[in-house]
Amino acid sequence: MTEERSGANILVESLVKQGVEFVFGYPGGAVLPIYDALFGDERLRHILVRHEAGAAHAAEGYARSTGKPGVVLVTSGPGATNAITGIADAFMDSIPLVVITGQVPTALIGSDAFQEADTVGISRHCTKHNYLVKDPAELAGIIDEAFQIATSGRPGPVLIDIPKDVQIASALWNDAPAQRRQRYSPRTEGTADEIAQAVEMIARAKAPVFYTGGGVINSGPRATALLRALQEKIGAPVTSTLMGLGAFPADHADWLGMLGMHGTYEANFAMNQADLIVCVGARFDDRVTGRLDAFAPNSEKIHIDIDRASINKTVRVDLPIIGDCATVLDQILTLWGDRKGQDISAWKTRVEGWREKKSLSFPLSDKAIMPQLAVQRLFELTKDKDPVISTEVGQHQMWAAQYFHFFGPNKWLTSGGLGTMGYGLPAAIGAQLGNPDSLVIDIAGDASIQMNIQELGTATQYRLPVKIFILNNEWMGMVRQWQELTYESRFSQSYSESLPDFVKLAEAYGWKGIRIENESQLDAGIQEMIDYDGPVIVDCLVAKESNCFPMIPSGAAHTEMILYGDTVAGTMDDEAKALV
Amino acid sequence: MMHIKQEAEERHVLTITVDNEAGILAKIAGLFTARGYNIDSLTVADITENHAVSRITIVTHGPPSQIDQIHAQLERLVPVHKVVDLTEVGPHVARELALIKVAGLGEKRVEALRLADIFRAKAVDTTTESFIFELTGAPDKIDTFVQLMRDLGLVEVGRTGIVAMIRGPHEA
């Protein structure tokens, strides 16, 4: 069946064909034809956010928690520029998004028209690919390719900018699958040589460690299962980046916890002392490596990554394998068969020694709730429900990563690469839509939560029982901590002055508000939050000046961690200050 | 005190075949600026009958690890079909075209014409007091010629930037 349809209509049909459930968006002048095409269409559910940044983060939360691409629809100019932060966030963290932006009519492009912005230009370096559509006849093919690019290879955001006249003009359309241009086909398998070499390197290692990242999650649940299967054969301890939490169960005897700047002592020492690092879907980020010339000095390194550009970017590796994590892990497992590796019991004894340092222990206070304790209790009281956790960015995010524990993929949503404050609430909204029966909690800080606080209204509108758990210390805690440790406690602009009353704010939006002021209220407050059938803000007042430890100061090596109780004096040299 | 560190750098010639679509040049040039890579020369032109594919030649310099990253980052762009690092692949021909305007009278004018002959430059425009020479060759040949013309009334230089190709019968 071939017929004439408007561009807007072709767009809607194409999204339906892709199996899209939700469109996170906000209407405006340049997308009115698309909104009109959506009107009354029950095949797509439009989620009206309160700010376009919220749309992009909500789509990210949906994508990260379901493994499906998130779809965003915003208008031209400010609609598009507001969404850019979320797009850049998805680009850094490899989250599949398809972002539709309206554009001024083709004839007005370049004339500084009302609500015109060079969206394709602005988004060029924070999208995996982008398009300006000039003819509605191209739309079906472009949308099909956009979904392919967003979801295959290293996932990421793809933007489609559609001028208003292209939405209105008609073209021939039929419901046959779009003709796909065969131009994007990332390599997914390792070569036989590479796999053989990997097996040989693993078989001779006496002190191996798995260093896993978000790539394992992106590769899908099969990658998680294969990682566990391979680990079982080899017995090596496993650490993960922030983005990879959940790929390996946190209650496993060989789990080391997160590595890097706020990683555990055992994870960082294992990386430093290993003779073989098997990196699976991680990218040797600066937050992970610390000082590069002191990073894992005596190890051979295997790096499995689908993105060739992530290989040898900062750390030289001995064996790069370009491919999909699940596929390559499967290849290694198959070739490994019933092989026996070296006896690594001496290595594991050393790892146990580092565990004894108990680097996540923290002193309790009788005056205030320690934020670490608050996260521990939140974990203990919710773990049976297998919750989905999102976070904002800062100290609370690191405490969540350290003290909340994950047992499966797609349960942990956080802004790792870009470090976007304001990510957590909209991400939780997207996750709740994608997982209507799950308990979804945004672990937040008092400063971050205010960055997309307007999305409270979105949760109210769609009756989403999202929970926000604020660790309120009245500071931009991570900034305060760096100023204390690096700038001799000159707290420049990091105090959260004039905080709102979060309980009243919750109530103003039709949410429930709960305040927890001391330890005796902690468990009951958390329980009340869980039991309430609707959205809740918990304003948990915590010790104001707690620092997040362990910490590798910038410019330091993995072996130079600061733990609780270490005294830090003086100021850093300029070389260290200049690092991010 | 902190000082910015410098690393040893290499010069590489890359050829990139790309889909001939809007914004592709901005994408490639922008990749270089966004990631702090250098462009010494960039040329681009359509190379297919149906105008679907363009060939871009970029001369860049940087530490070896950065050159490798440039290669990888370019390959990851969706409209990029192929990236060839000619400096890695082996012997190649690199040529550039220049237009050089020289104005002068008497002995200088005669000397300019004589040098042009030695360099096999062609006079493509003449007035009684000036020439425009067209010269093709390796960039250092053009550099040398332009240098010689400075004393002989050099007015203006236009250069195309390098196009390059691997030697021998095969495609790189």
Side-chain angles (χ1 to χ4, degrees):
Chain A
M1 180 184 65
T2 301
E3 59 193 15
E4 288 259 322
R5 296 239 186 164
S6 71
N9 203 279
I10 293 173
L11 169 68
V12 171
E13 291 301 331
S14 302
L15 294 179
V16 170
K17 205 187 282 182
Q18 292 292 335
V20 173
E21 297 173 278
F22 297 105
V23 175
F24 299 90
Y26 202 100
V31 283
L32 285 174
I34 298 172
Y35 272 85
D36 197 50
L38 284 171
F39 188 74
D41 194 321
E42 290 181 352
R43 296 170 299 170
L44 293 173
R45 193 159 167 223
H46 182 272
I47 303 301
L48 178 66
V49 294
R50 299 298 183 268
H51 184 286
E52 289 89 348
H57 294 315
E60 285 188 275
Y62 171 82
R64 189 79 180 167
S65 64
T66 62
K68 297 182 235 175
V71 177
V72 178
L73 171 60
V74 296
T75 194
S76 63
T81 55
N82 279 344
I84 287 292
T85 302
I87 296 170
D89 193 273
F91 188 56
M92 285 284 259
D93 284 346
S94 315
I95 311 294
L97 295 188
V98 173
V99 182
I100 316 287
T101 53
Q103 182 56 277
V104 301
T106 317
L108 289 184
I109 289 179
S111 71
D112 301 322
F114 177 64
Q115 293 197 325
E116 180 182 0
D118 174 12
T119 304
V120 165
I122 291 168
S123 64
R124 189 167 285 135
H125 302 298
C126 59
T127 52
K128 195 171 162 188
H129 193 50
N130 62 16
Y131 304 86
L132 173 65
V133 186
K134 291 190 167 159
D135 182 345
E138 296 173 348
L139 254 175
I142 285 176
I143 292 161
D144 178 67
E145 190 183 65
F147 275 86
Q148 185 211 357
I149 292 169
T151 54
S152 58
R154 179 176 176 180
V158 177
L159 183 142
I160 307 172
D161 200 26
I162 312 179
K164 198 172 180 182
D165 55 330
V166 176
Q167 300 167 28
I168 294 168
S170 58
L172 285 179
W173 180 87
N174 63 54
D175 53 6
Q179 194 72 32
R180 183 170 284 184
R181 294 165 74 181
Q182 298 298 331
R183 61 170 178 168
Y184 184 70
S185 54
R187 187 174 142 188
T188 56
E189 271 183 37
T191 65
D193 273 3
E194 288 165 349
I195 303 300
Q197 211 183 326
V199 164
E200 193 186 306
M201 285 166 79
I202 296 168
R204 67 168 182 254
K206 295 196 170 85
V209 63
F210 282 102
Y211 152 49
T212 65
V216 181
I217 313 275
N218 278 331
S219 179
R222 189 167 151 257
T224 303
L226 288 163
L227 171 68
R228 294 171 189 200
L230 183 61
Q231 191 280 335
E232 207 177 299
K233 299 240 179 192
I234 295 157
V238 181
T239 182
S240 164
T241 66
L242 181 70
M243 296 309 292
L245 295 176
F248 197 73
D251 57 355
H252 194 289
D254 290 316
W255 171 241
L256 296 169
M258 182 174 74
L259 83 165
M261 185 173 269
H262 294 291
T264 65
Y265 191 84
E266 53 270 32
N268 286 332
F269 266 74
M271 287 292 280
N272 186 264
Q273 296 292 310
D275 69 355
L276 175 71
I277 293 173
V278 183
C279 169
V280 190
R283 59 183 177 91
F284 297 95
D285 173 80
D286 56 77
R287 282 293 179 276
V288 158
T289 60
R291 204 174 84 218
L292 273 175
D293 57 9
F295 174 73
N298 306 313
S299 69
E300 291 192 304
K301 297 171 192 76
I302 300 172
H303 188 178
I304 303 167
D305 204 300
I306 198 148
D307 178 18
R308 147 91 169 81
S310 285
I311 286 168
N312 290 332
K313 184 163 62 178
T314 53
V315 171
R316 301 265 340 152
V317 298
D318 303 276
L319 175 63
I321 304 179
I322 299 162
D324 166 59
C325 290
T327 310
V328 174
L329 286 171
D330 196 20
Q331 288 178 288
I332 294 175
L333 257 171
T334 306
L335 187 61
W336 185 271
D338 292 321
R339 213 175 283 255
K340 285 268 169 291
Q342 303 288 317
D343 175 8
I344 61 168
S345 55
W347 166 238
K348 288 174 88 160
T349 307
R350 289 181 73 196
V351 171
E352 288 314 309
W354 295 320
R355 273 190 216 279
E356 286 309 306
K357 200 86 180 178
K358 301 209 179 310
S359 61
L360 290 178
S361 61
F362 57 91
L364 287 170
S365 157
D366 50 9
K367 292 191 199 71
I369 304 172
M370 291 301 278
Q372 299 90 335
L373 177 73
V375 176
Q376 269 181 350
R377 294 311 302 157
L378 184 66
F379 168 68
E380 289 300 334
L381 294 171
T382 60
K383 65 181 177 190
D384 293 342
K385 298 187 183 303
D386 198 16
V388 176
I389 301 295
S390 73
T391 74
E392 310 287 337
V393 170
Q395 282 184 322
H396 68 272
Q397 176 191 29
M398 292 298 115
W399 285 320
Q402 292 171 331
Y403 298 98
F404 211 98
H405 302 297
F406 298 92
F407 306 95
N410 309 101
K411 301 290 181 189
W412 167 245
L413 323 172
T414 196
S415 170
L418 198 64
T420 312
M421 293 168 75
Y423 167 88
L425 170 55
I429 288 170
Q432 187 77 77
L433 284 160
N435 303 268
D437 301 324
S438 294
L439 173 63
V440 180
I441 308 170
D442 172 26
I443 299 180
D446 52 86
S448 275
I449 190 62
Q450 295 185 79
M451 281 220 187
N452 272 320
I453 194 81
Q454 75 287 345
E455 299 307 326
L456 290 173
T458 308
T460 311
Q461 180 176 345
Y462 298 99
R463 297 188 168 73
L464 302 174
V466 167
K467 319 295 181 197
I468 300 175
F469 192 84
I470 303 174
L471 299 176
N472 184 344
N473 60 8
E474 295 178 19
W475 286 90
M476 294 162 211
M478 194 58 91
V479 176
R480 193 207 61 78
Q481 174 169 344
W482 278 56
Q483 288 172 334
E484 180 191 321
L485 300 176
T486 317
Y487 295 92
E488 297 169 310
S489 298
R490 290 187 295 276
F491 297 124
S492 183
Q493 302 296 329
S494 52
Y495 183 66
S496 295
E497 188 68 58
S498 305
L499 278 176
D501 179 331
F502 287 111
V503 171
K504 284 188 182 158
L505 185 71
E507 288 163 3
Y509 273 101
W511 288 45
K512 184 180 179 60
I514 298 171
R515 182 163 293 120
I516 297 174
E517 294 179 72
N518 55 55
E519 225 176 286
S520 69
Q521 302 169 340
L522 185 59
D523 281 17
I526 293 169
Q527 196 57 50
E528 194 184 349
M529 173 193 87
I530 300 166
D531 294 342
Y532 183 72
D533 182 20
V536 183
I537 291 183
V538 177
D539 183 20
C540 181
L541 309 186
V542 298
K544 294 189 200 313
E545 289 170 9
S546 300
N547 284 334
C548 184
F549 292 124
M551 179 178 182
I552 303 173
S554 64
H558 274 176
T559 49
E560 300 168 327
M561 309 181 77
I562 308 173
L563 303 177
Y564 252 107
D566 290 350
T567 44
V568 182
T571 184
M572 273 188 189
D573 63 23
D574 288 352
E575 302 263 358
K577 276 187 193 167
L579 296 165
V580 283
Chain B
M1 291 290 275
M2 193 188 94
H3 299 282
I4 304 294
K5 294 190 184 87
Q6 302 288 353
E7 278 184 87
E9 297 187 337
E10 291 176 0
R11 181 175 169 284
H12 282 242
V13 182
L14 310 175
T15 60
I16 308 152
T17 37
V18 298
D19 281 332
N20 194 9
E21 63 184 34
I24 179 63
L25 190 57
K27 209 169 210 123
I28 298 219
L31 171 76
F32 276 73
T33 41
R35 294 189 182 264
Y37 308 147
N38 303 293
I39 298 181
D40 299 333
S41 154
L42 185 154
T43 61
V44 55
D46 181 354
I47 54 162
T48 46
E49 252 174 88
N50 60 357
H51 309 294
V53 176
S54 287
R55 177 169 166 132
I56 297 175
T57 309
I58 291 184
V59 183
T60 182
H61 67 270
S65 59
Q66 190 183 75
I67 302 286
D68 182 58
Q69 262 297 299
I70 291 172
H71 195 136
Q73 292 288 352
L74 284 170
E75 273 181 343
R76 143 171 130 126
L77 299 177
V78 174
V80 168
H81 295 241
K82 193 165 76 171
V83 181
V84 179
D85 183 341
L86 292 177
T87 311
E88 287 287 310
V89 175
H92 56 275
V93 180
R95 289 293 180 269
E96 193 177 2
L97 183 143
L99 293 176
I100 299 131
K101 184 180 284 183
V102 182
L105 297 167
E107 196 45 47
K108 284 196 171 176
R109 181 173 164 86
V110 175
E111 182 61 11
L113 199 58
R114 216 165 58 81
L115 286 169
D117 190 44
I118 293 168
F119 277 77
R120 293 195 178 81
K122 200 160 73 175
V124 291
D125 177 74
T126 313
T127 67
T128 52
E129 53 185 331
S130 70
F131 294 112
I132 297 176
F133 294 119
E134 175 194 306
L135 179 61
T136 54
D140 55 346
K141 171 178 162 184
I142 294 172
D143 289 344
T144 312
F145 184 73
V146 169
Q147 195 53 42
L148 287 168
M149 289 302 115
R150 283 189 200 286
D151 293 335
L152 302 174
L154 182 72
V155 176
E156 199 175 358
V157 183
R159 298 172 72 152
T160 57
I162 288 171
V163 289
M165 198 170 276
I166 199 80
R167 287 184 186 274
H170 303 293
E171 195 183 348

